[in-house]
Amino acid sequence: MTDGAAPVDWGVLREAARDAMSRAYAPYSGYPVGVAALVDDGRIISGSNVENASYGLSLCAECGLVSQLAATGGGRLTHFTCVDGAGAVLVPCGRCRQLLYEFGGPELVMETPEGLRTLDEMLPQAFGPQHLG
């Protein structure tokens, strides 16, 4: 799935996600997660989960990713992958899919264990900025 531009190197994205995962802070769950995404200007950004002793304050890897997106100039996410502590591809939780929708929209291409899917397929009928007056 590409938009006619150069093909996406999913191996490079997975490697960036694995690298981010290696720096996750997950002392409580022992479940490090890393994510990486391609931005519409060609940048690759990444993030990892950061846990907290007060579990509700823990940050998912996707939070770090969108924070890095904003801190490095913004843009739109076009392609996304997420890996677990073993480096295997996994799917973000529903909360994180909603977070990704804000910055990638329904056309964001996600790598899943079952292949490439758009965010629209992974979060059907999503609520977004277009619903606000």
Side-chain angles (χ1 to χ4, degrees), residues 2-127:
T2 63
D3 57 6
V8 172
D9 188 336
W10 289 97
V12 168
L13 277 181
R14 269 191 308 282
E15 188 55 38
R18 289 178 182 134
D19 183 56
M21 177 273 300
S22 73
R23 291 186 303 281
Y25 178 73
Y28 306 107
S29 71
Y31 195 79
V33 175
V35 297
L38 184 62
V39 182
D40 59 0
D41 63 7
R43 284 178 293 144
I44 293 178
I45 58 171
S46 62
S48 60
N49 58 324
V50 178
E51 294 180 347
N52 189 284
S54 173
Y55 293 114
L57 296 179
S58 293
L59 300 173
C60 295
E62 292 81 357
C63 292
L65 179 95
V66 299
S67 181
Q68 186 182 53
L69 176 67
T72 60
R76 298 294 288 168
L77 303 175
T78 62
H79 299 80
F80 172 88
T81 194
C82 180
V83 299
D84 65 15
V89 173
L90 72 136
V91 176
C93 72
R95 175 189 176 272
C96 289
R97 292 180 204 185
Q98 180 66 44
L99 183 65
L100 292 169
Y101 186 85
E102 184 81 14
F103 297 94
E107 63 278 359
L108 174 65
V109 179
M110 302 179 72
E111 184 178 36
T112 78
E114 296 182 358
L116 302 179
R117 304 282 188 270
T118 64
L119 188 49
D120 190 49
E121 294 173 280
M122 301 299 293
L123 187 67
Q125 301 182 43
F127 181 85

